[in-house]
Amino acid sequence: MNNDILQRLAETLEARKHAAPESSYVAKLFSKGNDAILKKVIEEAGEVLLAAKDGDPQHLVYEVADLWFHTLVLLAQKGLSADDVLQELARREGVSGIAEKASRK
């Protein structure tokens, strides 16, 4: 997988954090705050579920891309990035899902 796109997205999102809301969709979303971003993540997650049920693989990919994008916006708003998530996934690699979940208690 090519992580270059994640790096470019992270840089773009960071640049949009303090941009004028009328300058871009992401700047406008950041200006609306946490609740607006969370609402978009929930909306996109629902669209992923519907796309998964409709059986069109390309539609599912499109909706997952929207969900990932808005999740990256949320991470950026919280001072985090895809790298933080990738590090967590790397930490979990090779660990039983049952054991990992039990370690959270």
Side-chain angles (χ1 to χ4, degrees):
M1 184 172 110
N2 185 342
N3 289 336
D4 289 347
I5 187 64
L6 293 176
Q7 182 60 41
R8 289 193 306 273
L9 274 171
E11 290 168 4
T12 299
L13 293 175
E14 209 47 46
R16 299 290 194 272
K17 273 181 162 180
H18 306 291
E22 62 276 2
S23 68
S24 78
Y25 167 77
V26 172
K28 185 174 184 178
L29 197 52
F30 279 133
S31 76
K32 289 182 177 182
N34 194 56
D35 286 350
I37 295 169
L38 292 172
K39 183 178 176 185
K40 281 305 293 182
V41 170
I42 290 168
E43 176 187 323
E44 297 302 340
E47 290 176 6
V48 166
L49 297 176
L50 294 173
K53 290 185 78 159
D54 84 9
D56 178 352
Q58 190 54 45
H59 184 214
L60 178 58
V61 168
Y62 178 89
E63 295 300 345
V64 169
D66 279 353
L67 176 59
W68 284 13
F69 178 80
H70 287 89
T71 302
L72 290 170
V73 171
L74 175 61
L75 288 169
Q77 189 221 20
K78 300 295 184 182
L80 300 166
S81 71
D83 283 341
D84 296 299
V85 176
L86 293 172
Q87 287 174 14
E88 176 61 16
L89 290 172
R91 184 191 69 78
R92 295 181 188 187
E93 188 174 16
V95 176
S96 157
I98 294 169
E100 195 284 325
K101 191 164 188 167
S103 74
R104 294 188 223 168
K105 293 181 181 179

